[in-house]
Amino acid sequence: MLVAAAVCPCPPLLVPEVAAGAAPELDAARDACLDALGVLAAARPDLLVVVGPGDERAAGAYPAGARGSFRGVGVDLDVTLGDGPGYDAPAGRPLPQSLSVGAWLLGRAHWTGAPVEGLVVGTRSSAGECAETGGALARRAERVALLVMGDGSACRTLKAPGYLDERAAGFDARATEALGSADLDALAALDATLGHELQVAGRAPWQLLGGAARGAGLAGRLLYEDAPYGVGYAVAAWS
């Protein structure tokens, strides 16, 4: 059963070495993420799964010890998922960006709790598929926790990666309210097609979380919400 969840954004800029001189701009987001991870630790799960978005080639499970890096964004920094003995990823199968940021957060929080695994959910997965996957995850152990990585719309301002779309603020507001209140029906109702048009990387992971939380009776708390660089970022904790 799901006993706790942390929802965090997954831009590489969350890593100070990547953000460089702009790093202080996301200090509040980093602090909120660490607070959310503290909620996971306090729940004493038997299993922690880091869930993030990715394309269909990256979708699937990643074991403890899987490796990722930030060399793709110009920083010589490697990360490892959990404290596994090491995993020789086959060619083309390193941790994708979302799980690499999650692994970095766990390292920054000095996670020493439950075993850690990773799961990438395809960004085009339907709400039903996400919910079904989430329900299966929640049954993996008696006490399961999720670290759910994902950004809101990348279309919040003229300088955003996806340019300005007037629908973006409303979509993010609905998603943020649902994440902050653990409103499972509202998460399930997020429009996958609109989310794709607005470049919402977090839609599928959030709907997976909603499926995992069915019957768990968890309450949500919003810890951070902003749209620096024109991308919606939200941090929430469920327990």
Side-chain angles (χ1 to χ4, degrees), residues 115-136:
V116 180
E117 298 178 8
L119 178 69
V120 169
V121 57
T123 55
R124 300 305 296 268
S125 299
S126 70
E129 291 169 334
C130 294
E132 183 178 354
T133 301

Side-chain angles (χ1 to χ4, degrees), residues 214-233:
R214 289 287 177 186
L218 301 183
R221 181 161 53 101
L222 186 66
L223 304 180
Y224 173 88
E225 188 278 325
D226 201 355
Y229 318 116
V231 181
Y233 298 151

Side-chain angles (χ1 to χ4, degrees), residues 11-23 30 69-77 101 104:
L13 288 172
L14 206 59
V15 180
E17 291 90 337
V18 175
R30 294 184 193 97
S69 84
F70 294 95
R71 291 190 178 90
V73 289
V75 175
D76 186 13
L77 175 65
V101 176
W104 176 83

Side-chain angles (χ1 to χ4, degrees), residues 15-223:
V15 180
E17 291 90 337
V18 175
E25 296 178 16
L26 290 180
D27 278 348
R30 294 184 193 97
D31 290 345
C33 289
L34 293 180
D35 289 343
L37 285 173
V39 172
L40 298 187
R44 298 185 179 278
D46 301 317
L47 172 67
L48 172 62
V49 182
V50 183
V51 178
D55 61 29
E56 297 306 319
R57 293 171 298 175
Y62 292 77
R67 301 185 182 97
S69 84
F70 294 95
R71 291 190 178 90
V73 289
V75 175
D76 186 13
L77 175 65
D78 297 323
V79 291
T80 301
L81 185 65
D83 57 359
Y87 168 62
D88 293 326
R93 188 77 174 177
L95 290 176
Q97 173 185 296
S98 61
L99 295 195
S100 293
V101 176
W104 176 83
L105 281 173
L106 289 174
R108 189 177 178 95
H110 306 292
W111 179 266
T112 57
V116 180
E117 298 178 8
L119 178 69
V120 169
V121 57
T123 55
R124 300 305 296 268
S125 299
S126 70
E129 291 169 334
C130 294
E132 183 178 354
T133 301
L137 272 186
R139 296 188 292 271
R140 288 278 311 280
E142 185 174 345
R143 299 180 64 81
V144 175
L146 298 181
L147 171 54
V148 181
M149 310 298 297
D151 302 340
S153 173
C155 304
R156 292 280 293 272
T157 67
L158 292 174
K159 294 184 178 180
Y163 197 65
L164 175 65
D165 190 309
E166 298 293 346
R167 303 170 296 173
F171 187 101
D172 282 355
R174 291 190 294 275
T176 298
E177 182 177 359
L179 292 170
S181 60
D183 187 333
L184 308 186
D185 291 337
L187 285 177
L190 293 175
D191 189 305
T193 299
L194 179 58
H196 178 71
E197 293 173 358
L198 297 175
Q199 301 182 30
V200 181
R203 191 274 309 171
W206 298 337
Q207 290 185 322
L208 182 151
L209 168 60
R214 289 287 177 186
L218 301 183
R221 181 161 53 101
L222 186 66
L223 304 180

